[in-house]
Amino acid sequence: MNDNLLRRCYTFYRDGFRAMTVGRTLWKIIAIKLLVMFAVLKVFFFPDFLNTTFDNDQQRADHVLQQLTGAAEHTEQRRMR
Amino acid sequence: MGELDLGMVNWARAQFTLTAMYHWLFVPITLGLSFLCAFFETIYVRTGKEEWKRLTKFWMTLFGINFAIGVATGIILEFEFGTNWSNYSWMVGDIFGAPLAIEGIFAFFIEATFFAVMFFGWERTSKGFHLFSTWMVAIGSNLSALWILVANSWMQYPVGMVFNPDSARFEMQNIWEVILSPVAVAKFTHTTSSSFVVGALFVIAVSSYYLLKKRHIDMAKKSILVASVFGLLSGLFTAFTGDESAFVNASTQPMKLAAYEGLYKGSRGADIVAFGMLTPGKKTGDGQEPFAFEISIPRGLALLATREWNGYVPGIEDLVYGNSAEGLVGAADKIERGKKAIADLAAYKAARKAGDDAAGKAALERFNVNKDYLGYGYMTRPEEIVPPVASTYYSFHYMVYVGTFIIFLMLFFLKAGLSDRLPENRLLLRLGVASFFLAYLASEMGWVVAEVGRQPWAIQDMLPVKMAATNIGSGHVQGTFLLFFILFAVLLLAEIKIMLKQIKIGPEVA
């Protein structure tokens, strides 16, 4: 019964795609767009800064905290020394 | 740590604006037209008349084109978060994770199942199941928007969270407080209802074009009738939710309200400016009159913001410099407290690193006293908390004027449609075509009001935009800005070309 349902789903989508007219062009646009977005833009131009620069969450948290506290932190460290 | 490159911050802002505004070209039509397709198909199922089926299939095709070109353009915003806005992205990860995950699941299941039935299932599923699928696409698309708008609303009014000084993250405490915050409710209802108006105007514009060209007359008249009812009800609801948004802004983001109303000096029983031109070059606290000319409605702003004729509405200068008579603390005091919060956060971090628990506990207690002012600590002068007033003010007023005009336009279309006088009313038809573009711009302007009006904050009072950014050079962002501009222009041209071609072809012949 499951095979039958899966087969019906498969033929539903297959026939649907085959019968498309304007949809074919749209799918081409979607495919090209997704390829450009994920294979080009994301990989070469939009690395996740924190994930690629630091190894673990503690380092990422420390980096952001350092950005937030900045000059105040340096002053505090000098005071504690 | 190097100095933050403000050139980079502004380029990152520009890139985000470009992407968001491009993405928003597709969203209102998706939200509005999906419901109209559901209405059209419901009429077909109830009447069994084939012309309603042809009509539904035609609008569904246009819906599909818009959806296909627009799909996934919002994901680019997430790329930008990770690269350009990494501090922000890290800090809000816990808050945004849940809503965006729910949005992703919703979008995936709806798009993979009901969308396919909607387009492929006309002859292969029962009428009832097909109609159910169309309704599910409409409801699902709008619910999908809910989660994005909830996330955006949290930035405007951060509730239901606590800041963790160890992880530097805002952590969710109560998801219902986040989802049901007054800002989220007002934003969702206002954004979706105004998108319904844009969707309705899309149908009216295309149908008006057909009537002007004397083509597909019966389909065009039927489409206009349904769209004008939907557009009128949505337009009225948009006005109501817009009023509610302003009322909510008065308590949650009074600076934004003051900016879009051009109110520099607050007062009790404040008037609302119905028409007015801001004094060019006006700066906060320079003593110049705010308006070169104005036509005001007495006590209108007090009523809108406080629901009382004599309620107090603070102006930009009251919020910047304080107003002791009305119990308003100025930004200078908040900056002072913010700087203390930053210093105590640094002290806490240093104590933790040194293993000094007692000093850490003391620093944390001091931090908690001033933590609500954390974001102010990054300001150098009180006037920095003022958003760009002119762009906020004019965008808001454009939106209000067009919104009001469209309510009347919908009434005229409905009246002409009911009396079957649409084809001969060529002026109205021309207005129908042109108004679509006015409404589109108004929809984009709504985001300008929401986002420019909340500057300088990425998260209201907690994190200014300049601290949300990644400290990378502006050259990289300039390059990708140009890349996006070209990509978006090509995609937009593709959409317009395919859309126009399909409109020219029209519905399938009986």
Side-chain angles (χ1 to χ4, degrees):
Chain A
M1 187 186 161
N2 279 343
D3 281 354
N4 193 26
L5 182 68
L6 283 175
R7 186 166 177 74
R8 281 170 61 194
C9 281
Y10 168 72
T11 52
F12 178 83
Y13 279 88
R14 186 199 62 196
D15 295 348
F17 281 116
R18 276 183 182 167
M20 282 193 307
T21 49
V22 66
R24 282 175 199 273
T25 313
L26 295 177
W27 274 110
K28 279 180 201 158
I29 290 174
I30 290 172
I32 293 168
K33 183 172 64 175
L34 292 178
L35 187 77
V36 170
M37 277 171 56
F38 286 99
V40 181
L41 290 176
K42 178 67 183 157
V43 175
F44 297 106
F45 297 100
F46 286 93
D48 188 306
F49 176 76
L50 293 177
N51 279 342
T52 52
T53 314
F54 302 102
D55 293 328
N56 55 55
D57 277 357
Q58 190 55 55
Q59 288 178 359
R60 290 174 196 120
D62 287 344
H63 169 77
V64 175
L65 271 173
Q66 193 189 348
Q67 296 277 307
L68 291 177
T69 50
E73 190 179 47
H74 296 307
T75 312
E76 182 64 24
Q77 280 170 349
R78 279 199 299 274
R79 192 186 65 77
M80 287 187 80
R81 277 201 294 269
Chain B
M1 186 184 79
E3 280 293 300
L4 195 69
D5 182 357
L6 282 178
M8 180 272 157
V9 174
N10 287 331
W11 273 104
R13 262 190 175 126
Q15 189 178 71
F16 201 86
T17 306
L18 175 75
T19 316
M21 292 187 93
Y22 175 75
H23 179 57
W24 195 251
L25 288 176
F26 305 100
V27 179
I29 292 189
T30 299
L31 299 184
L33 196 53
S34 61
F35 269 114
L36 277 159
C37 287
F39 295 145
F40 293 140
E41 191 175 342
T42 304
I43 298 172
Y44 159 62
V45 171
R46 303 229 11 171
T47 61
K49 290 181 177 171
E50 281 298 305
E51 63 257 37
W52 282 101
K53 184 180 178 184
R54 281 197 300 279
L55 183 154
T56 308
K57 285 177 94 170
F58 170 68
W59 291 114
M60 247 176 218
T61 305
L62 299 192
F63 172 80
I65 293 169
N66 178 69
F67 187 88
I69 308 283
V71 73
T73 50
I75 292 174
I76 298 174
L77 294 169
E78 289 185 33
F79 294 176
E80 291 172 31
F81 281 139
T83 306
N84 300 343
W85 305 101
S86 61
N87 290 347
Y88 163 85
S89 192
W90 175 261
M91 292 173 78
V92 304
D94 190 62
I95 304 284
F96 279 25
L100 295 185
I102 297 169
E103 193 271 341
I105 292 165
F106 253 116
F108 176 78
F109 280 109
I110 286 166
E111 281 152 29
T113 52
F114 295 115
F115 226 82
V117 176
M118 188 170 144
F119 284 98
F120 301 157
W122 276 106
E123 316 304 333
R124 307 192 60 160
T125 58
S126 68
K127 272 186 184 178
F129 185 66
H130 192 276
L131 178 63
F132 172 73
S133 300
T134 307
W135 273 102
M136 282 308 293
V137 168
I139 293 167
S141 302
N142 281 271
L143 278 181
S144 187
L146 168 72
W147 302 110
I148 302 290
L149 295 170
V150 162
N152 179 276
S153 301
W154 182 85
M155 293 153 68
Q156 321 260 352
Y157 184 51
V159 289
M161 60 79 190
V162 66
F163 178 72
N164 182 337
D166 291 305
S167 63
R169 299 188 99 154
F170 293 99
E171 292 174 354
M172 181 113 62
Q173 295 289 297
N174 185 342
I175 192 169
W176 294 109
E177 217 179 320
V178 175
I179 294 170
L180 297 174
S181 90
V183 176
V185 172
K187 186 171 279 290
F188 175 67
T189 51
H190 190 59
T191 308
T192 48
S193 58
S194 60
S195 297
F196 297 163
V197 176
V198 175
L201 268 170
F202 176 74
V203 170
I204 287 175
V206 175
S207 304
S208 296
Y209 165 79
Y210 283 145
L211 290 177
L212 284 167
K213 294 283 175 193
K214 298 185 174 28
R215 293 174 57 202
H216 314 299
I217 291 170
D218 185 57
M219 185 212 79
K221 287 198 290 191
K222 284 184 166 70
S223 299
I224 286 177
L225 206 54
V226 176
S228 59
V229 172
F230 184 51
L232 178 62
L233 293 175
S234 303
L236 290 168
F237 190 62
T238 302
F240 170 73
T241 54
D243 173 72
E244 189 60 23
S245 293
F247 177 65
V248 171
N249 283 161
S251 55
T252 57
Q253 293 173 296
M255 180 60 86
K256 183 195 276 187
L257 177 81
Y260 64 65
E261 295 293 357
L263 184 73
Y264 277 84
K265 287 188 193 306
S267 64
R268 293 200 160 265
D271 301 345
I272 196 165
V273 176
F275 297 94
M277 195 180 98
L278 291 167
T279 304
K282 162 78 183 156
K283 296 267 190 300
T284 306
D286 66 1
Q288 281 195 82
E289 280 298 313
F291 287 93
F293 79 88
E294 60 181 286
I295 300 170
S296 297
I297 301 168
R299 296 179 185 269
L301 188 52
L303 189 63
L304 178 123
T306 67
R307 303 292 192 243
E308 289 174 19
W309 290 109
N310 205 33
Y312 175 70
V313 186
I316 292 168
E317 290 174 0
D318 302 289
L319 295 162
V320 171
Y321 304 118
N323 182 332
S324 53
E326 297 291 347
L328 281 177
V329 177
D333 288 347
K334 292 180 181 176
I335 290 171
E336 190 65 27
R337 294 187 71 174
K339 290 196 185 304
K340 281 181 187 162
I342 295 168
D344 291 329
L345 184 60
Y348 171 71
K349 190 172 171 253
R352 201 188 55 179
K353 201 172 173 184
D356 187 343
D357 289 346
K361 195 179 168 201
L364 193 57
E365 278 172 10
R366 293 197 305 274
F367 171 74
N368 283 334
V369 171
N370 294 307
K371 67 179 180 183
D372 291 345
Y373 300 93
L374 179 70
Y376 286 92
Y378 302 105
M379 305 292 168
T380 51
R381 55 195 183 86
E383 290 82 2
E384 260 187 81
I385 68 162
V386 181
V389 176
S391 44
T392 311
Y393 170 85
Y394 288 116
S395 301
F396 174 76
H397 282 77
Y398 173 84
M399 184 178 69
V400 172
Y401 299 148
V402 170
T404 310
F405 164 73
I406 283 168
I407 290 173
F408 286 102
L409 187 75
M410 292 292 178
L411 260 178
F412 291 134
F413 266 104
L414 182 59
K415 189 169 176 289
L418 286 172
S419 55
D420 200 15
R421 296 173 64 86
L422 276 169
E424 58 266 35
N425 204 335
R426 299 183 72 79
L427 176 64
L428 184 64
L429 295 175
R430 285 196 187 97
L431 268 177
V433 175
S435 298
F436 169 64
F437 301 99
L438 293 179
Y440 231 141
L441 192 57
S443 185
E444 295 276 6
M445 288 299 110
W447 280 109
V448 173
V449 176
E451 300 304 300
V452 176
R454 76 177 160 103
Q455 297 300 313
W457 303 110
I459 303 168
Q460 185 72 34
D461 295 349
M462 302 303 287
L463 185 74
V465 171
K466 64 182 177 186
M467 292 308 297
T470 312
N471 202 354
I472 54 174
S474 60
H476 177 85
V477 190
Q478 286 172 10
T480 48
F481 178 91
L482 189 69
L483 207 64
F484 277 166
F485 188 81
I486 294 166
L487 177 71
F488 293 159
V490 170
L491 280 173
L492 190 60
L493 285 175
E495 159 155 43
I496 293 170
K497 196 177 165 200
I498 298 169
M499 189 73 91
L500 288 179
K501 187 180 168 191
Q502 203 58 35
I503 290 170
K504 218 168 178 182
I505 294 168
E508 62 187 41
V509 185

